[in-house]
Amino acid sequence: MALITCQDTSFAYDGNVAISGLNFEVHRGDYLCIVGENGSGKSTLIKGLLRLIAPSAGTILIGGGLGGDGEGVDGLGADEIGYLPQQTATQKDFPASVYEVVLSGRLSKRGILPFYSKMDKAIAEENIRRLGIEKLRHRCYRELSGGQQQRVLLARALCATKKILLLDEPVAGLDPIVTQELYQEIEKINREEGLTIIMVSHDIGSAVRYASHMLHLQNKQVFFGTTEKYIASEAGTRFMGGGRHD
Amino acid sequence: MIDTLIEMFHYTFLVRAVVVGLLVSLCAALLGVSLVLKRYSMIGDGLSHVGFGTLAIATAMNVAPLTVSIPVVILTAFLLLRISENSKIKGDAAIALISTSSLAIGVVVISLTTGMNTDVCNYMFGSILAMSKNDVSFSIVLGIVVLVLFVLFYNKIFAVTFDENFAKATGTKTGLYNMLIAILTAVTIVLGMRMMGALLISSLIIFPALTSMRVCKKFKTVTICSACVSVVCFFIGVVVSYLYATPTGASVVIMNMIVFLLFWAAKLLPRMHTKESHTNENHSKERKIS
């Protein structure tokens, strides 16, 4: 069974249909890249996948039974999604230590309980180690470089999930070296931990290099399939700037 | 110094005022960190003006001020939060509308009933004599409730303040916690308003948070530091107002201002110091070379 299934799904934003005709499935362990021009509905789709907005038409099945791993039919709860959002203006001058930020990823697991448990702290430590930011632990978040901040937010997202990670343009504004490091980190998480990755990206070159599946949007679904097929497809060649059509 | 303090606390009204004031400044400082970081500073200001209006109406109707003010101000807090979430109506404009309207209503009500007299001045700039015995016990209970709720929900308040989208996406009920912050703020403002004055109470929320953000780098230390700063400033402010017969609210605000400037300077000094020592080193090196 698929982790996420969209059937003729549409999402509207402020009354306008931002994106329609979505038909795709995401399976466990997939690495899906969502590409498309500005305003093609990528961010709206992410909001829909996070269940921050409801579909205006069609259905979206999230979870739907994970098949044989004993996780139950509900599968994926909102508290099992990891999310790396685009940075907000508030965070630019926010006084918080790296440790505080990473630990806050465990919040949804707490439910009504007020304080973090030893296990929460251990998981936060583990993710700090995994992303190699031990030395930054007591540093102030606002004083870090862009790449370091993204690592911190990635560690926080990993604290919230063991199943699926949604990333909204994680490399925006980063320099090429840091960008490649971050991509490699994400690929490692996908390969070694078997985490499902869904990433919105403008960086088409890296997208086809790392992703197993591609979803191309233009206010509707232009392409969905494996990356090999995408490279060969018309939409793919045009978007990558490869082919010319007269 | 100690003699003055002993003399001061012979007056029961001063003891009452100090107890409630300390509690209010503690609550305001804790909530202030979140409000300032969420860019909600103006909500505190708007709420205090609404509090002024309700206070005037409550006095005119001859009912206990707190019982009218608290529900109305909480309702307004709820409304303002809704408006700032809705991007179509600009939140700051809405706050200005609501606060000036309630200020106008308050002034008209006062002039119709008791006439424009010292009451207006007391409401605007606060009076240390404002607290009755019943008010004090009510204020202490509410203040403690605010404190306990803040401690219990500290981690959630952090998450909602730092990154609302992430918290919402991972299944935290952010609307609920925003509501909680607004309600606690409303209660704190109403409790402190008569002593600090409608025009000055929002400084208790904003100053300590900004002061501690000059030097502290963790959310926890910022919170603890602003609580300490707020309590100390309030106490010194009250003592100063007793010694020099200055208005209490304004004295507390001036204390907060001085501490803010001190912290700001403290942040700048080390930098200048390192610069100087660098130039000194360079000088000595140059001398050695020559």
Side-chain angles (χ1 to χ4, degrees):
Chain A
M1 272 298 284
L3 208 54
I4 294 175
T5 312
C6 278
Q7 288 170 342
D8 288 321
T9 320
S10 301
F11 289 105
Y13 209 74
D14 286 338
N16 305 317
V17 176
I19 186 159
S20 59
L22 291 168
N23 280 292
F24 67 90
E25 285 185 343
V26 181
H27 294 266
R28 174 165 252 203
D30 281 359
Y31 188 145
L32 173 71
C33 253
I34 304 172
V35 294
E37 287 156 36
N38 287 335
S40 58
K42 302 189 296 286
S43 293
T44 310
L45 175 58
I46 284 282
K47 286 202 178 76
L49 292 176
L50 290 168
R51 282 176 279 201
L52 297 179
I53 51 174
S56 56
T59 52
I60 175 166
L61 289 170
I62 297 179
L66 294 170
D69 57 1
E71 291 283 354
V73 189
D74 294 314
L76 199 66
D79 59 356
E80 286 171 308
I81 291 178
Y83 176 42
L84 187 73
Q86 292 186 27
Q87 294 223 31
T88 61
T90 325
Q91 292 166 1
K92 295 265 151 62
D93 59 348
F94 201 98
S97 71
V98 166
Y99 182 71
E100 283 178 313
V101 174
V102 175
L103 189 59
S104 74
R106 295 294 302 167
L107 187 76
S108 52
K109 300 285 187 295
R110 291 283 80 213
I112 194 69
L113 297 172
F115 305 113
Y116 294 114
S117 68
K118 271 194 184 132
M119 196 183 89
D120 292 327
K121 286 172 185 165
I123 289 172
E125 289 291 347
E126 185 192 319
N127 285 313
I128 285 176
R129 252 197 318 279
R130 190 193 291 179
L131 285 160
I133 47 176
E134 297 102 319
K135 280 182 186 153
L136 307 175
R137 181 184 327 199
H138 298 295
R139 288 275 300 281
C140 181
Y141 176 79
R142 66 181 163 192
E143 289 168 358
L144 302 180
S145 70
Q148 289 170 331
Q149 288 184 340
Q150 286 302 70
R151 274 176 188 262
V152 173
L153 295 186
L154 193 56
R156 177 184 65 166
L158 288 175
C159 280
T161 185
K162 283 205 175 312
K163 288 181 184 164
I164 188 163
L165 200 56
L166 275 85
L167 306 103
D168 198 351
E169 296 187 25
V171 298
L174 300 182
D175 69 54
I177 294 168
V178 175
T179 299
Q180 284 313 316
E181 283 173 5
L182 199 65
Y183 275 129
Q184 279 156 17
E185 206 68 63
I186 295 165
E187 199 209 3
K188 206 174 94 190
I189 292 163
N190 174 248
R191 209 180 46 232
E192 290 176 4
E193 320 269 331
L195 241 77
T196 311
I197 308 276
I198 298 180
M199 184 197 291
V200 168
S201 180
H202 270 302
D203 182 0
I204 182 77
S206 297
V208 295
R209 195 165 136 212
Y210 291 105
S212 65
H213 292 74
M214 298 293 289
L215 175 62
H216 187 142
L217 303 178
Q218 188 61 63
N219 301 107
K220 57 185 171 45
Q221 185 172 316
V222 177
F223 179 89
F224 171 72
T226 58
T227 309
E228 293 82 40
K229 281 185 188 155
Y230 180 71
I231 294 170
S233 75
E234 195 191 329
T237 38
R238 205 171 58 235
F239 201 61
M240 286 184 287
R244 292 206 189 278
H245 303 266
D246 332 71
Chain B
M1 180 66 199
I2 289 168
D3 289 343
T4 333
L5 287 183
I6 291 169
E7 186 193 317
M8 240 180 96
F9 289 117
H10 273 307
Y11 301 99
T12 38
F13 77 89
L14 264 181
V15 177
R16 274 190 235 146
V18 169
V19 168
V20 174
L22 286 177
L23 212 52
V24 167
S25 31
L26 193 59
C27 295
L30 295 177
L31 292 165
V33 176
S34 180
L35 289 172
V36 166
L37 286 169
K38 278 171 89 73
R39 310 283 191 269
Y40 281 174
S41 311
M42 282 309 290
I43 287 186
D45 203 46
L47 291 182
S48 63
H49 288 78
V50 174
F52 171 80
T54 56
L55 206 63
I57 292 170
T59 322
M61 289 179 0
N62 234 338
V63 287
L66 289 184
T67 50
V68 182
S69 294
I70 288 179
V72 175
V73 176
I74 286 178
L75 207 69
T76 321
F78 182 74
L79 201 73
L80 287 179
L81 217 61
R82 267 292 145 84
I83 291 169
S84 51
E85 274 167 16
N86 186 346
S87 56
K88 275 181 189 163
I89 312 164
K90 287 284 167 275
D92 54 343
I95 291 171
L97 276 186
I98 291 177
S99 66
T100 47
S101 306
S102 35
L103 200 62
I105 293 171
V107 170
V108 167
V109 168
I110 291 172
S111 69
L112 285 180
T113 51
T114 55
M116 296 290 277
N117 52 21
T118 46
D119 277 6
V120 180
C121 188
N122 279 348
Y123 290 162
M124 291 283 203
F125 302 108
S127 161
I128 198 139
L129 303 168
M131 287 285 167
S132 75
K133 218 171 200 173
N134 284 338
D135 284 349
V136 172
S137 32
F138 193 51
S139 302
I140 290 175
V141 171
L142 275 184
I144 289 171
V145 168
V146 171
L147 274 184
V148 169
L149 284 178
F150 182 87
V151 172
L152 285 181
F153 288 101
Y154 167 80
N155 287 320
K156 272 137 189 145
I157 289 174
F158 169 78
V160 171
T161 310
F162 180 70
D163 194 340
E164 202 169 327
N165 286 333
F166 177 84
K168 207 170 177 183
T170 51
T172 304
K173 291 183 184 63
T174 52
L176 192 74
Y177 297 116
N178 277 334
M179 214 46 249
L180 181 79
I181 295 172
I183 290 174
L184 297 184
T185 311
V187 171
T188 308
I189 282 176
V190 173
L191 291 184
M193 197 178 61
R194 279 176 308 158
M195 190 187 306
M196 290 294 296
L199 293 182
L200 297 174
I201 179 74
S202 56
S203 68
L204 277 194
I205 289 177
I206 298 160
F207 262 120
L210 283 179
T211 302
S212 47
M213 268 179 233
R214 293 310 104 198
V215 289
C216 298
K217 292 178 178 179
K218 289 185 188 180
F219 192 75
K220 199 173 249 168
T221 49
V222 167
T223 310
I224 294 170
C225 178
S226 63
C228 298
V229 165
S230 183
V231 165
V232 170
C233 285
F234 179 82
F235 193 76
I236 298 175
V238 169
V239 173
V240 167
S241 91
Y242 174 78
L243 288 178
Y244 300 99
T246 49
T248 318
S251 314
V252 173
V253 175
I254 286 177
M255 271 306 135
N256 270 301
M257 194 184 77
I258 292 171
V259 173
F260 174 77
L261 292 175
L262 283 178
F263 272 57
W264 197 36
K267 192 195 170 192
L268 291 180
L269 273 181
R271 263 188 227 160
M272 282 165 58
H273 187 73
T274 46
K275 254 185 206 167
E276 272 171 27
S277 59
H278 274 301
T279 45
N280 282 346
E281 273 170 31
N282 288 344
H283 279 303
S284 53
K285 268 181 199 166
E286 277 165 24
R287 255 175 243 149
K288 269 178 200 165
I289 291 165
S290 60

